[in-house]
């Protein structure tokens, strides 16, 4: 039996007519950038997150970059990011000329540790960017409290966590602002690139909007050295369709993860933490840990099962950041990069496929 690591096919088969209607609506309207679809999507997505504003942008990296620009963070400043996140979190900080300072995660949760943040704070620190990694919310309250004490901004990287809840609050509604990605593989994905910024602050929302539109609020009048980063009408129309189904898709992801958690049983495999009332994650991926990770990967592959690694090379060892970080300074990120393996988890997996993954993991000789 073949089980792909991920596929959109079952999801898109179910909503094909709705997506085609959305496409025709935009063609009929014949307005492709900054029109009704984007405005409606922004309203709907802000409502979904429980915050006042959403601003559509070009992608998730731009969302973080534009928030940092709007907060006037730049050269000479430091921003604390997790050592085990996807590189985009750090790149956004580098793009504004600030320094990404890496803080290690809490073992077990994969999310940034408040203690490690505390140790990383210097007089140059301006902001903290917790990432709700793998769809599981970071422990936000102690982070928000620490930030308040040091007068730092908290910017959420919610690129993997559309709809996740922390103590009932949605990802994207807890910091000063949040960056979302709608890359196709995210829990809410466009049929191309897309992203957005959420915030409760009207001035910040407006600054992000202006910065993403050539620094212009009124056409041909440029207030800031902006860039071009906008969510186009087609992607916004597709996202409006998909947003209506997101809760159902998240429920299904949680059901698959529950089956894995209930039925997987192999002494050489370490399973991720369950959801709880406090941490209601949306399982962007299902990460397991295994000392013989590469053998497990080959074993599953020989049984037709696709897997992935998030992420095989941590930021402090990336060529792009050569010379920036102490090579042995991030043992937790190193350990994750060597032992993490992500199992198939997508909307539309059949019971037989889920069972095949479980049986194959359980049969791994270790
Ligand atoms: C995907 C991702 C991003 C970047 O989003 P893009 O839309 O691909 O630019 C940022 N942060 C995290 C944690 C991500 O997973």
């Amino acid at each position: 039996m073949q089980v792909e690591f991920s596929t959109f096919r079952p999801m898109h088969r179910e909503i094909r007519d709705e997506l085609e209607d959305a496409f025709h609506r935009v063609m009929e309207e014949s307005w492709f950038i900054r029109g009704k679809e984007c405005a409606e999507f922004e309203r709907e997505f802000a409502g979904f997150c429980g915050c006042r504003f959403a601003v559509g942008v070009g992608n998730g990296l731009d969302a973080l970059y534009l928030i940092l620009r709007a907060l006037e963070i730049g050269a000479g400043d430091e921003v604390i990011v997790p050592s085990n996140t996807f590189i985009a979190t750090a790149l956004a900080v580098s793009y504004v000329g600030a320094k990404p300072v890496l803080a290690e995660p809490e073992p077990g949760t994969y999310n940034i540790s408040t203690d490690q943040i505390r140790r990383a704070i210097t007089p140059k620190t301006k902001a903290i960017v917790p990432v709700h990694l793998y769809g599981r919310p970071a422990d936000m309250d102690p982070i928000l409290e620490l930030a308040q004490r040091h007068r730092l901004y908290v910017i959420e990287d919610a690129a993997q966590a559309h709809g996740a809840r922390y103590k009932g609050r949605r990802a994207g509604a807890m910091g000063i602002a949040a960056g979302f990605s709608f890359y196709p593989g995210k829990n809410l994905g466009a049929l191309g690139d897309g992203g957005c910024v959420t915030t409760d602050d009207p001035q910040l929302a407006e600054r992000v909007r202006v910065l993403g539109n050539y620094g212009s609020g009124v056409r041909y009048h440029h207030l800031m050295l902006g860039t071009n980063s906008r969510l186009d009408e087609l992607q916004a129309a597709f996202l409006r369709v998909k947003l209506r189904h997101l809760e159902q898709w998240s429920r299904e992801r949680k059901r698959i993860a529950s089956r894995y958690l209930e039925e997987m049983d192999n002494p050489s495999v370490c399973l991720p933490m369950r959801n709880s009332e406090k941490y209601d994650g949306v399982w962007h991926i299902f990460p397991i840990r295994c000392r013989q990770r590469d053998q497990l990967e080959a074993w599953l592959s020989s049984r037709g099962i696709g897997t992935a690694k998030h992420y095989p090379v941590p930021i402090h060892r990336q060529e792009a950041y050569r010379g920036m970080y102490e090579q042995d300074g991030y043992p937790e990120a190193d350990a994750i990069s060597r032992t993490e393996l992500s199992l198939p988890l997508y909307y539309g997996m059949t019971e037989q496929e889920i069972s095949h993954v479980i049986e194959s993991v359980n049969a791994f000789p270790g």
Side-chain angles (χ1 to χ4, degrees):
M1 184 188 278
Q2 294 291 319
V3 186
E4 288 171 90
F5 170 65
S6 187
T7 171
F8 312 115
R9 257 176 253 113
M11 170 191 281
H12 288 168
R13 207 177 296 130
E14 280 184 19
I15 59 168
R16 194 192 164 110
D17 291 346
E18 290 174 81
L19 289 173
E20 286 180 357
D21 286 349
F23 171 78
H24 290 299
R25 200 168 64 230
V26 173
M27 288 301 284
E28 215 38 59
E29 192 69 28
S30 208
W31 187 274
F32 299 102
I33 302 282
R34 296 226 155 165
K36 290 180 197 159
E37 299 290 340
C38 184
E40 283 301 304
F41 173 71
E42 287 173 345
R43 212 175 44 76
E44 291 160 6
F45 192 70
F48 174 81
C49 293
C51 59
R52 289 181 65 196
F53 306 98
V55 181
V57 299
N59 55 63
L61 172 60
D62 282 357
L64 296 171
Y65 163 77
L66 291 167
I67 295 167
L68 293 164
R69 282 280 318 265
L71 294 172
E72 300 187 307
I73 292 169
D77 296 334
E78 292 179 355
V79 176
I80 298 172
V81 307
S83 57
N84 59 321
T85 183
F86 177 56
I87 196 166
T89 319
L91 277 182
V93 176
S94 299
Y95 278 0
V96 298
K99 182 184 179 194
V101 171
L102 307 177
E104 290 262 88
E106 207 76 72
T109 71
Y110 300 105
N111 275 327
I112 196 164
S113 143
T114 309
D115 271 340
Q116 297 295 325
I117 296 173
R118 191 179 293 113
R119 279 184 225 178
I121 293 174
T122 75
K124 292 182 179 172
T125 308
K126 286 289 178 325
I128 305 164
V129 187
V131 180
H132 307 303
L133 200 69
Y134 307 156
R136 180 188 170 85
D139 193 7
M140 292 299 289
D141 278 347
I143 297 173
L144 289 164
E145 207 177 292
L146 180 67
Q148 196 166 25
R149 219 171 321 125
H150 292 266
R151 301 186 165 277
L152 307 174
Y153 295 119
V154 174
I155 300 161
E156 294 169 76
D157 181 341
Q160 303 188 355
H162 319 69
R165 287 180 194 271
Y166 170 78
K167 297 184 181 176
R169 283 125 74 198
R170 289 271 203 201
M174 294 182 276
I176 176 93
F180 282 91
S181 165
F182 304 125
Y183 176 79
K186 308 290 173 159
N187 290 32
L188 177 60
L191 307 186
D193 273 318
C196 93
V197 169
T198 56
T199 182
D200 279 334
D201 181 332
Q203 269 112 32
L204 186 56
E206 185 55 23
R207 281 178 65 82
V208 166
R209 193 179 292 287
V210 166
L211 279 165
N213 191 36
Y214 301 111
S216 162
V218 175
R219 205 170 205 184
Y220 303 132
H221 294 261
H222 302 271
L223 310 167
M224 295 178 265
L225 298 177
T227 182
N228 175 5
S229 186
R230 304 175 294 213
L231 181 65
D232 68 71
E233 289 290 285
L234 267 177
Q235 297 309 332
F238 296 144
L239 286 166
R240 291 182 68 199
V241 169
K242 288 187 151 192
L243 182 57
R244 294 200 289 270
H245 298 273
L246 183 58
E247 294 278 26
Q248 183 211 339
W249 294 337
S250 295
R251 273 199 300 279
E252 185 60 11
R253 300 183 87 92
K254 289 179 194 183
R255 197 186 66 79
I256 297 165
S258 294
R259 272 205 65 193
Y260 282 171
L261 288 164
E262 290 298 321
E263 298 173 46
M264 270 180 199
D265 185 15
N266 185 322
S268 33
V269 168
C270 176
L271 299 174
M273 280 174 83
R274 285 160 198 278
N275 275 348
S276 59
E277 210 155 300
K278 183 172 167 187
Y279 298 98
D280 187 13
V282 287
W283 301 102
H284 174 57
I285 60 154
F286 190 88
I288 63 174
R289 299 277 293 272
C290 178
R291 245 184 262 250
Q292 309 99 307
R293 189 260 314 266
D294 295 349
Q295 288 95 305
L296 177 57
E297 177 191 31
W299 166 265
L300 292 174
S301 171
S302 75
R303 294 174 151 244
I305 297 169
T307 57
K309 297 167 192 163
H310 296 90
Y311 299 89
V313 182
I315 292 167
H316 66 281
R317 295 190 188 278
Q318 291 289 349
E319 186 64 27
Y321 281 122
R322 196 158 61 160
M324 273 272 281
Y325 301 105
E326 200 188 317
Q327 290 301 279
D328 296 326
Y330 308 93
E332 216 39 73
D334 278 335
I336 293 168
S337 75
R338 281 195 301 264
T339 56
E340 190 276 343
L341 192 69
S342 308
L343 299 179
L345 196 161
Y346 53 86
Y347 178 78
M349 267 183 100
T350 65
E351 293 315 304
Q352 291 88 326
E353 286 166 339
I354 301 168
S355 298
H356 181 58
V357 175
I358 294 167
E359 283 155 21
S360 301
V361 168
N362 290 350
F364 176 58

